[in-house]
Amino acid sequence: MNAGVKRLSRYRRHRYAAPALLITALISLGATFQVASALPNSSRMESTPKSTLIEEGARIFAQGCSSCHGLNAEGAGIAPSLIGVGAASVDFQVGTGRMPMADMSQQAMRKDPIYNEEETAALAAYVASLAPGPAAINEAQLTYERDGNTAEGGELFRTNCAMCHNFAGQGGALTQGKYAPTVMGVEAKHIYEAMITGPQSMPVFSDKTITPEEKLSILKWIKSAESEPNLGGASLGRTGPVTEGLLVWTLGLGLLIGIAVWLTAKAR
Amino acid sequence: MKKVERIGVNVAGYVDDRTGAAKWLRKNLTKVFPDHWSFMLGEIVLYSFIILLLSGTFLTFWFDPSQREVVYDGSYEPLQDIKMSAAYASALHISFDVRGGLLMRQIHHWAALIFMAGMIAHLMRVFFTGAFRKPREANWLIGVGLVTLGIVEGFLGYSLPDDLLSGTGIRIAEAIIQALPVVGSYLAFFAFGGAFPGEAFIPRIFTVHVLLLPAIFLALITIHLMLVWYQKHTQYPGPGRTEKNVVGYPLMPIYMAKAGGFFFIVFGVTAFLGAVASINPIWLYGPYNPGQVTAGSQPDFYMGWLDGLVRMAPPLETAAFGYTISWNILIPGLIIPGILFTLMALYPFIESWMTGDKREHHLLERPRNNPNRTAIGAMSLSFILVVLINGGNDLIATHFSLTINQIMWFTRIGVIVIPPMVFVITKRICLSLQRADREKVLHGRETGRLVMLPHGEFVEVHEELSAAEKFTLTQHEQPMALQVPNSDANGVLNPQGLKGKLRARLSQAHVEQVSAPSASEAKELESGHH
Ligand code: HEM
């Protein structure tokens, strides 16, 4: 060992060594941070992908959502706070095109989504970063084909959902112009997210009320109802007896009366 | 004579000697029936009733009217291993595992709807043409009974499969029974053999649906048709048709051939609907479970107006003597329907009281020639229609982007405002139609042909009606209002009191008419005609 090293090791045991090291470390850290944040935007790629996603989300949010939800998603008079609603809610609302809301009607309507998948994910990440909440679902998590039970799902749907969404998931009216939309043709992950976030007048179905396995069964039932052929002929909208009554007065009795008129018409 | 013919003659002679059948047959087979499309509405009803009997019998072969709990193990995958009543399971079995079962179920239900719709259309034709007048009041009463029983029969029918929709309907029926003051809850307890839903209700309504009510229908329809037979059919006015004769085709062979053919047409239309259009898809509704309801729970249309009335009732309850009286169910569920049906049943008597007309009538009236009656009918229909709209308020709301509350208030106000408006408008329309008839008789039919007169004036050529047409348009009665004396022989003022005044007022309204052109008026015009 040479003398220099020895001297260093002697300083190491000096009683000011620890505080001095700490200060040096802090200063250098601060200096690095200063330099890093002073760098132009292009070099942001070097930081973690997660935080960029959040920032990207924050940027989109400021442009597209803050006018209603407030600059920091804290909510404003016209729209609720999004703090703590979680990525699932954003993924559902933006993914089904409900948000950004087009007009302040009774209920945000489903429409073609305005943001693509990455932008939606960014918005979700941003809102999730504000406070913890239910995470967004990706399709791979939804193993309903394997783990669901159609019949059980049907029972659960009729018990929990049919009072608003109709027995065949065709949707129905609620009071004051609100309505439960059809659940046919909705992406599986959005159905799942609707259950865990409870958009608007829809209740939240926590994992205690409906377990994750049961939710998968509901998904499986909805998907099987979607593709079920109309076993009895034309479905008449699967809405029950009203359309049947209309048909019988028009086509049924109408046709019979038409024939009666024809049979009794005088030959000319 | 060939051998076969000789045998035939002998047999016929044998029967005739003992029963006098030949005379009876000759009389009846040559009986004449008038021909008009609206007279075939009753036939549509009759034939759909026969279709109901046949298809219903088929269904009873497999239907198990029991609320015993079973676990489904049939070919409809989405209900596999679900607990349900045997009734529901057997209805699924008929739908999916019995050959032709679903078709039969659908034919049965479509036939039921055609039966009810046809019956209502038939009732309307009888009403608007005045066919219920003396001597046919009895048949009108039987008819009202048939409509009422038809509603009940249909309700029981779609309650049988014990699916979610029918269970919801039964629940409402239970609520209506319970709403009866004092006896309600006992009655409900009795009907259900215990607490709702119990195990007794479906077996019981099954017996009523397949045995009791069809037997009553059969009896009432038989009497109904015998009355039509003996009283003879009414006919529309026209040349050669009087209160004393019937102009038409003999029963045999023309009418029978037409009617027989028409049966197959009714059957064909029903079977066509059954084959192409789904009705009551019970497998989608799922088994009944008191803990479940579905959005858009609706009854069939003939119950829909009741449902609409119940839906529009504001919440109103009073507690008295330890009982709660739910007016919001009692009034729309029992009192209003009771009043409506009573008024309908009594209408022939009310009208004859208003007009003081106690004569027999075998000639029908054209609706326009009795404006007051036509207006009353249209008013009643508009009432039912408004209420029916409220019965479907949730579907209308979602399909036409309205809110349930808007429809509710529209119908709540409409049910009071619209019928009187319809009354006035219909009456005015009838009177204008009469005026148009009068014009036609006096000035002929507009031909649309313009002719230039020598001095350059253009006139439209009017074509004179034939004598037959003129007769048809002018034959109707011009009734006079009842005269109620102001004072009687002893100088007592208003001897009939308020009732007399009311009667005079009503009869005044009832006879409002545009006078048909008289013979002298027509003559006058003819002589001065260009
Ligand atoms: C099961 C249901 C019914 C059946 C099968 C039935 C059948 C018929 C048939 C076949 C006729 C003769 C043809 C015609 O005028 O259309 C008739 C006549 C008549 N029906 Fe009905 N009907 C039913 C219900 C009703 C109802 C609901 C009413 C009224 C409340 C009614 C009142 C009458 C009257 C008054 C006649 C005599 C009509 C005339 O001679 O001009 N019927 N019915």
Side-chain angles (χ1 to χ4, degrees):
Chain A
M1 290 263 166
N2 63 37
V5 173
K6 269 195 183 133
R7 211 168 59 230
L8 255 181
S9 74
R10 206 177 64 234
Y11 281 131
R12 211 174 61 205
R13 277 173 217 125
H14 193 276
R15 63 182 221 257
Y16 291 126
L21 253 169
L22 197 68
I23 287 164
T24 328
L26 278 176
I27 288 172
S28 54
L29 199 74
T32 325
F33 193 76
Q34 282 292 315
V35 173
S37 50
L39 285 173
N41 271 354
S42 57
S43 67
R44 275 191 177 186
M45 298 304 285
E46 274 142 57
S47 51
T48 62
K50 174 106 182 177
S51 61
T52 14
L53 203 60
I54 293 174
E55 281 156 31
E56 169 78 3
R59 195 179 54 76
I60 303 175
F61 191 88
Q63 281 172 2
C65 323
S66 59
S67 58
C68 295
H69 286 286
L71 276 174
N72 300 307
E74 75 282 12
I78 44 170
S81 156
L82 299 185
I83 294 173
V85 302
S89 182
V90 177
D91 193 47
F92 172 79
Q93 299 282 351
V94 179
T96 60
R98 285 182 168 75
M99 292 292 147
M101 213 167 156
D103 55 287
M104 295 301 287
S105 54
Q106 279 293 355
Q107 179 167 327
M109 267 188 295
R110 190 187 171 87
K111 52 187 183 299
D112 281 338
I114 289 184
Y115 297 106
N116 62 25
E117 261 172 57
E118 289 89 63
E119 289 163 330
T120 309
L123 278 168
Y126 166 68
V127 171
S129 75
L130 301 173
I137 304 293
N138 63 45
E139 296 282 343
Q141 279 168 276
L142 299 176
T143 53
Y144 61 88
E145 284 296 354
R146 197 187 66 215
D147 300 327
N149 175 325
T150 315
E152 194 197 335
E155 269 306 88
L156 287 162
F157 189 87
R158 286 187 292 274
T159 308
N160 297 293
C161 325
M163 72 270 246
C164 298
H165 287 283
N166 141 305
F167 57 87
Q170 298 294 326
L174 307 175
T175 51
Q176 303 296 353
K178 300 207 176 84
Y179 62 93
T182 172
V183 296
M184 295 292 125
V186 178
E187 267 181 66
K189 71 166 183 173
H190 291 146
I191 301 177
Y192 200 98
E193 286 165 352
M195 287 191 272
I196 58 178
T197 63
Q200 292 167 69
S201 335
M202 177 165 157
V204 175
F205 294 93
S206 72
D207 285 353
K208 280 203 214 77
T209 12
I210 301 183
T211 65
E213 298 81 65
E214 289 175 336
K215 289 194 174 105
L216 292 181
S217 293
I218 292 182
L219 282 184
K220 186 157 184 190
W221 180 83
I222 293 178
K223 289 298 156 196
S224 103
E226 219 169 75
S227 54
E228 179 175 316
N230 290 314
L231 299 166
S235 75
L236 310 186
R238 289 191 183 170
T239 48
V242 171
T243 37
E244 295 161 6
L246 284 176
L247 191 71
V248 89
W249 278 97
T250 49
L251 186 62
L253 205 60
L255 199 60
L256 286 172
I257 290 179
I259 296 172
V261 171
W262 174 66
L263 278 179
T264 52
K266 291 203 184 62
R268 275 175 226 263
Chain B
M1 233 188 253
K2 273 192 269 159
K3 193 167 174 225
V4 212
E5 287 171 337
R6 211 168 40 247
I7 295 175
V9 168
N10 284 341
V11 171
Y14 183 89
V15 174
D16 188 36
D17 287 346
R18 265 139 266 252
T19 59
K23 206 172 131 230
W24 186 87
L25 276 177
R26 191 161 42 246
K27 176 158 157 266
N28 286 316
L29 289 183
T30 51
K31 197 152 185 128
V32 159
F33 274 87
D35 208 24
H36 190 268
W37 66 265
S38 69
F39 299 162
M40 296 180 86
L41 292 170
E43 277 176 53
I44 295 178
V45 186
L46 180 63
Y47 301 148
S48 48
F49 181 70
I50 295 172
I51 298 169
L52 281 171
L53 287 183
L54 296 178
S55 55
T57 307
F58 179 92
L59 298 179
T60 58
F61 294 162
W62 291 276
F63 183 71
D64 177 4
S66 152
Q67 276 162 297
R68 175 171 47 86
E69 190 176 273
V70 298
V71 171
Y72 183 65
D73 179 27
S75 51
Y76 184 65
E77 224 22 74
L79 286 173
Q80 205 61 35
D81 295 330
I82 294 285
K83 291 203 193 96
M84 54 183 64
S85 66
Y88 184 66
S90 65
L92 289 176
H93 178 74
I94 296 174
S95 305
F96 298 119
D97 300 299
V98 172
R99 191 163 304 232
L102 182 55
L103 180 65
M104 271 306 179
R105 266 197 60 233
Q106 302 205 137
I107 287 180
H108 191 68
H109 206 134
W110 282 120
L113 294 197
I114 291 179
F115 179 70
M116 290 307 298
M119 195 142 66
I120 292 164
H122 173 56
L123 185 155
M124 292 190 322
R125 117 73 185 122
V126 167
F127 182 86
F128 285 115
T129 58
F132 55 81
R133 290 172 300 170
K134 191 178 171 186
R136 295 182 179 76
E137 304 99 324
N139 239 2
W140 172 262
L141 285 175
I142 291 174
V144 173
L146 283 167
V147 174
T148 318
L149 290 181
I151 295 175
V152 176
E153 176 77 347
F155 171 73
L156 297 185
Y158 72 71
S159 295
L160 280 175
D162 203 23
D163 57 277
L164 188 50
L165 215 52
S166 68
T168 311
I170 297 176
R171 173 111 243 187
I172 295 172
E174 192 224 6
I176 292 179
I177 300 177
Q178 278 184 331
L180 280 169
V182 187
V183 292
S185 44
Y186 301 105
L187 218 59
F189 199 79
F190 174 73
F192 287 85
F196 178 85
E199 295 242 314
F201 195 63
I202 288 189
R204 286 180 183 177
I205 62 174
F206 180 72
T207 316
V208 178
H209 179 81
V210 307
L211 194 72
L212 183 62
L213 284 179
I216 297 179
F217 271 116
L218 220 52
L220 288 180
I221 292 175
T222 311
I223 302 175
H224 192 75
L225 296 184
M226 274 164 59
L227 279 173
V228 174
W229 190 270
Y230 285 116
Q231 296 176 335
K232 306 202 176 55
H233 205 288
T234 53
Q235 58 188 342
Y236 284 99
R241 300 176 176 187
T242 69
E243 293 279 12
K244 303 252 150 51
N245 68 3
V246 185
V247 178
Y249 296 109
L251 181 70
M252 227 21 187
I254 297 176
Y255 200 80
M256 275 311 231
K258 274 195 173 183
F262 198 50
F263 171 79
F264 288 101
I265 288 171
V266 175
F267 184 75
V269 169
T270 315
F272 170 74
L273 281 173
V276 303
S278 174
I279 185 164
N280 204 18
I282 50 165
W283 56 93
L284 292 175
Y285 301 153
Y288 181 58
N289 174 335
Q292 301 173 347
V293 274
T294 164
S297 290
Q298 309 277 359
D300 278 3
F301 77 83
Y302 44 86
M303 290 283 284
W305 60 281
L306 268 173
D307 191 39
L309 270 172
V310 173
R311 284 181 191 210
M312 73 167 61
L316 213 75
E317 286 186 344
T318 44
F321 310 112
Y323 292 102
T324 310
I325 304 180
S326 314
W327 297 109
N328 54 338
I329 302 183
L330 201 58
I331 294 179
L334 286 167
I335 296 179
I336 295 182
I339 294 176
L340 285 180
F341 272 78
T342 310
L343 282 178
M344 181 159 85
L346 293 183
Y347 185 78
F349 310 100
I350 298 175
E351 190 183 290
S352 105
W353 177 76
M354 285 195 301
T355 55
D357 184 355
K358 309 282 181 219
R359 295 165 303 161
E360 287 208 353
H361 291 279
H362 301 283
L363 277 181
L364 297 173
E365 280 179 305
R366 298 169 76 214
R368 68 181 63 170
N369 287 338
N370 198 323
N372 212 51
R373 177 200 297 142
T374 305
I376 290 175
M379 176 176 77
S380 318
L381 282 181
S382 70
F383 176 88
I384 293 290
L385 223 58
V386 170
V387 170
L388 195 60
I389 287 176
N390 195 46
N393 58 11
D394 44 359
L395 281 178
I396 297 172
T398 44
H399 287 254
F400 298 98
S401 301
L402 295 167
T403 79
I404 288 194
N405 306 61
Q406 284 167 345
I407 300 171
M408 180 95 94
W409 279 106
F410 169 75
T411 52
R412 272 182 184 169
I413 298 171
V415 85
I416 297 169
V417 176
I418 293 178
M421 273 165 46
V422 169
F423 179 89
V424 173
I425 294 171
T426 311
K427 197 161 173 181
R428 292 301 120 191
I429 291 177
C430 285
L431 291 173
S432 334
L433 286 172
Q434 287 187 8
R435 217 164 282 127
D437 280 353
R438 187 185 149 87
E439 284 297 301
K440 229 165 44 179
V441 172
L442 290 179
H443 302 290
R445 183 183 292 116
E446 292 174 8
T447 56
R449 264 185 290 131
L450 289 180
V451 174
M452 193 170 76
L453 298 180
H455 56 276
E457 186 193 341
F458 283 96
V459 293
E460 187 182 2
V461 177
H462 283 235
E463 189 182 349
E464 207 184 335
L465 300 189
S466 70
E469 283 169 315
K470 274 187 187 166
F471 174 81
T472 309
L473 292 184
T474 54
Q475 51 70 42
H476 57 283
E477 288 191 324
Q478 306 283 311
M480 302 291 279
L482 272 184
Q483 295 303 318
V484 178
N486 274 335
S487 58
D488 66 7
N490 302 326
V492 178
L493 285 180
N494 273 328
Q496 296 181 17
L498 214 56
K499 204 171 130 205
K501 270 194 175 160
L502 176 71
R503 192 173 174 197
R505 181 71 201 83
L506 287 174
S507 113
Q508 190 71 45
H510 208 84
V511 297
E512 193 174 340
Q513 287 261 13
V514 172
S515 57
S518 61
S520 56
E521 269 179 295
K523 277 267 148 49
E524 219 168 273
L525 256 171
E526 244 155 58
S527 50
H529 224 269
H530 27 256

